Amino acid sequence: MRTALISHPLCRRHKMIDDHPECPERLDAISDRILASGLDLSLLQKTAPKCSVDDIRTVHSSAMIEHVLSSLPSEGLNELDGDTWLCPESFKAIERAIGAGIMAVDGILNDEFDAAFCAVRPPGHHANQTTSSGFCVFNNVAIAVKHAQELGIERVAILDIDVHHGNGTQDIFREDKNVLFCSLFQYPFYPNTPIENNDHIVNSPLPINSNGNDFKLVVEQHWLPKLREFKPQMLFISAGFDAHLEDDMASLSFVEADYSWFSEQIASVVKEIKCKGIVSFLEGGYELSSLGRSVAAHLRALVDSE
Ligand SMILES: [Zn+2]
């Protein structure tokens, strides 16, 4: 697959309290591993543009946007929720994180590439229409989905493989039957969303210590059949890598080979159902070495798929 890597140096400038796991070094770990593996030669490297405030308005309330903008400090940090802070340059990172997704959708629709990974921060999947939470300010993947819908894409799927439930994304698309939302996550665990399932929401809670075999069962038994039935025209991934065995944010035991397998399966089904492409967003993943290796595995599988 022609695969783009979309990022921007300003995504490093968002900083929270000292020793916060959602740190700028996460992006360094990813770019180091991409270089060390030689993957950079196989990727189309793109610089994320700024989004507009109107892009953010497609998902988030005016009151929430005003709250975030007015909470940007001129120095020091401002707390948005118990574990999310803003620094003076946070909005510069946010604009590029959202802009990366807009560029990814446009690039697929313009036939420039088939898949894109947005190596951006802050992450987004816990933010809903009205509230920032869990390291997330605005919902990057939801804004990219809205952009695709505005450009005529009628059916999309969002697959969330972060170890935490994508509660913000689920809230945003709960009433939109043209958006298939599938999320696997450790349960019970933050954010402890009540489990709901219907014809376009597929939640796959996993008990602690679940491993790659459990991941495969979820995908093979529930997600792939649903994707074949739903036939999304564009597929989005909330790609968190904090379910990795070495990541002590949670207690699942996935490894790089599991992320490779998942990415191969998704690339294959996208081709089978004639879906236009894959837009993947970095969400969680906090152990720097395993994060870098997992993203490289994800990208290698996309690049190598037909
Ligand atoms: Zn997470």
Side-chain angles (χ1 to χ4, degrees):
M1 266 186 174
R2 297 169 298 167
T3 305
L5 173 66
I6 308 178
S7 191
H8 197 286
L10 285 170
C11 289
R12 289 188 87 272
R13 304 279 271 275
H14 168 63
K15 290 188 179 139
M16 297 191 278
I17 54 170
D18 289 348
D19 299 324
H20 196 294
E22 205 292 280
C23 61
E25 290 76 15
R26 299 174 66 229
L27 296 181
D28 302 336
I30 291 169
S31 54
D32 286 356
R33 194 69 202 179
I34 286 171
L35 285 170
S37 63
L39 256 173
D40 57 311
L41 301 173
S42 306
L43 295 167
L44 292 159
Q45 304 223 29
K46 300 269 188 187
T47 305
K50 280 186 194 178
C51 73
S52 67
V53 173
D54 283 342
D55 293 322
I56 305 175
R57 273 188 222 290
T58 60
V59 166
H60 297 287
S61 70
S62 297
M64 176 189 181
I65 297 169
E66 272 309 305
H67 177 62
V68 169
L69 292 175
S70 64
S71 299
L72 289 164
S74 52
E75 58 182 53
L77 298 174
N78 252 347
E79 190 175 318
L80 268 187
D81 87 330
D83 47 25
T84 315
W85 285 262
L86 294 173
C87 75
E89 296 193 289
S90 290
F91 198 68
K92 293 180 183 170
I94 289 165
E95 287 176 312
R96 304 293 175 162
I98 297 169
I102 307 261
M103 175 183 252
V105 168
D106 289 346
I108 288 170
L109 291 179
N110 294 332
D111 198 28
E112 293 170 36
F113 43 80
D114 308 301
F117 180 69
C118 303
V120 296
R121 50 184 296 280
H125 72 152
H126 294 308
N128 69 10
Q129 298 93 324
T130 57
T131 312
S132 305
S133 64
F135 315 168
C136 303
V137 181
F138 297 120
N139 195 311
N140 307 322
V141 68
I143 295 169
V145 167
K146 289 282 190 183
H147 181 67
Q149 290 177 323
E150 282 174 359
L151 294 176
I153 296 293
E154 290 175 355
R155 290 184 318 284
V156 311
I158 305 170
L159 309 181
D160 190 319
I161 58 167
D162 190 278
V163 79
H164 303 96
H165 182 240
N167 57 324
T169 311
Q170 177 176 282
D171 282 349
I172 291 162
F173 295 110
R174 179 175 282 110
E175 306 301 330
D176 188 344
K177 292 189 183 316
N178 288 314
V179 177
L180 170 65
F181 175 70
C182 301
S183 184
L184 65 78
F185 48 95
Q186 181 177 319
Y187 189 78
F189 196 46
Y190 179 90
N192 289 309
T193 321
I195 308 289
E196 60 183 286
N197 284 295
N198 59 39
D199 56 357
H200 74 111
I201 296 177
V202 179
N203 278 311
S204 306
L206 293 169
I208 63 165
N209 297 326
S210 295
N211 61 23
N213 290 331
D214 304 299
F215 185 8
K216 286 179 187 174
L217 284 176
V218 163
V219 173
E220 286 177 337
Q221 295 186 355
H222 301 289
W223 293 14
L224 294 176
K226 194 72 193 177
L227 285 169
R228 291 188 174 104
E229 174 195 326
F230 193 85
K231 293 188 174 53
Q233 295 159 301
M234 194 173 280
L235 188 144
F236 295 76
I237 303 175
S238 266
F241 299 95
D242 41 7
H244 194 285
L245 174 70
E246 293 168 28
D247 199 308
D248 63 9
M249 181 65 72
S251 307
L252 297 192
S253 302
F254 297 179
V255 295
E256 295 90 290
D258 302 318
Y259 294 118
S260 289
W261 176 86
F262 171 75
S263 309
E264 286 164 11
Q265 298 299 309
I266 299 311
S268 170
V269 78
V270 156
K271 187 178 178 201
E272 176 191 324
I273 62 175
K274 298 189 167 47
C275 176
K276 292 178 187 297
I278 300 172
V279 179
S280 179
F281 279 89
L282 178 65
E283 299 282 2
Y286 304 101
E287 205 292 313
L288 297 179
S289 174
S290 64
L291 171 64
R293 299 193 319 267
S294 300
V295 171
H298 175 49
L299 287 173
R300 173 59 71 193
L302 295 178
V303 165
D304 286 351
S305 61
E306 294 293 315

